[in-house]
Amino acid sequence: MIILAFETSCDETAAAVLDDDKILSNIIYTQSFHNKFGGVVPEIASREHLKRLILVTEKALSDANKNIKDINIVAATSSPGLIGALLIGLNFAKSISLSLNIPFIAVNHIQAHLYSTFVGNNKPTFPFISLIVSGGHTILSKVDNFFVHKILGTTLDDAAGEAFDKVAKILGLGYPGGPLIDKYATLGNEESVKFPIAKIKKGEYNFSFSGIKTSVLRYYQSLDDSKKKNNQILSDICASFQKSVIEALYNKVKFASKEFNIKNIAISGGVSANSYLRNRFLKLQKSGYKIHIPELTLNTDNAAMVGITAYYKYINDIDKKKYLHEKLLETAKPKLDYENF
Ligand code: KG4
Ligand code: ZN
């Protein structure tokens, strides 16, 4: 089964071709145009998707050595995301589905992050604990089977990635903040500033990152101007902040793992690219945990994760009757939150 998948929910224009669950190509165009605004501008994102989508699709097909006629299934992110941006990928995918008379599969972006951990041979086995940490969401869940997810906790305020982005902005480092904080942190001392780490309470799996963000703001404001520009001081703040956020995530995951007696853990979403997070969780493998974190090209938004989710939806018969063309209008109404997760 050859799958052509699209991701256009935010500022990545992406297309991928898969042969079942194997990635044949994975093309991502990151819209760096937004960087100068310090965040994603929705209208610009939509226009950039319009400009780039066909080029990205052609490249995905040619890298996979496939022709559009070889495609058996087409898939696109349907929600959550920026409404204008979603509509471009969705309608492009639906048009291909209609013109080739092949099924169209709508994919929830958060589920796509979760199933990005199924790429390759080291797939999680059920049940597993899933931590999704992206720019828009922080979700801890227990996954009992394909598309049987029980949400244990979400963020009460900022998502983990959002906290990285906001702190980078406070420190004047630029956008997107996560990779920059990660880079600065490698030169910093993580013990230099004590930012609060959320306390663990039994059965309480929600997250909150706005407290850490405010502490960074207060600390930074207390510095004199020369210190604010000192790279070593900035690196120390980044390392200390990064440690607090990742430790909060780590503690909750370990707590859930103990409570449900599950040592299979899958971590996905943009923040799972973070080097401190990867080291911290991968070390657990020494104590019998199975840790699944996608390789670096699959943490941040991409279309391969949309393709693999579509593959698992298809083979598990999820929503199958909706693939019929007469139902295309009804499928994939973009939604603004993670109600379908
Ligand atoms: O999953 P993603 O690409 O988009 C959403 O679905 O939101 O995640 C983007 C987020 C951004 O907030 C970005 O700063 C963060 O992931 N991120 C990182 C790293 N790379 C990306 N955060 C921490 N460390 C990184 N290395
Ligand atoms: Zn994402």
Side-chain angles (χ1 to χ4, degrees), residues 173-188:
L173 304 182
Y175 176 87
L180 292 163
I181 290 187
D182 198 347
K183 197 169 129 214
Y184 272 82
T186 53
L187 304 170

Side-chain angles (χ1 to χ4, degrees), residues 117-186:
T117 59
F118 280 72
V119 171
N121 296 328
N122 177 27
K123 299 186 194 313
T125 50
F126 300 107
F128 63 89
I129 300 291
S130 153
L131 174 70
I132 303 165
V133 269
S134 71
H137 298 90
T138 304
I139 301 179
L140 186 67
S141 61
K142 179 168 163 282
V143 184
D144 290 320
N145 207 331
F146 284 110
F147 304 97
V148 184
H149 318 130
K150 182 180 184 298
I151 294 185
L152 304 174
T154 62
T155 182
L156 300 173
D157 37 57
D158 294 342
E162 195 179 354
F164 272 90
D165 294 336
K166 286 182 176 170
V167 162
K169 202 169 191 174
I170 291 169
L171 303 179
L173 304 182
Y175 176 87
L180 292 163
I181 290 187
D182 198 347
K183 197 169 129 214
Y184 272 82
T186 53

Side-chain angles (χ1 to χ4, degrees), residues 187-200:
L187 304 170
N189 171 7
E190 62 197 34
E191 304 301 335
S192 64
V193 196
K194 291 275 171 253
F195 293 124
I197 297 177
K199 295 265 179 319
I200 301 281

Side-chain angles (χ1 to χ4, degrees), residues 72 74 93-105 320-331:
N72 308 117
V74 61
K94 285 184 179 186
S95 315
I96 294 174
S97 151
L98 278 170
S99 63
L100 298 179
N101 198 24
I102 55 172
F104 162 73
I105 300 182
K320 206 161 201 169
K321 60 181 182 309
K322 285 199 190 163
Y323 310 155
L324 299 171
H325 284 144
E326 60 267 30
K327 299 271 183 184
L328 270 184
L329 280 179
E330 190 182 301
T331 0

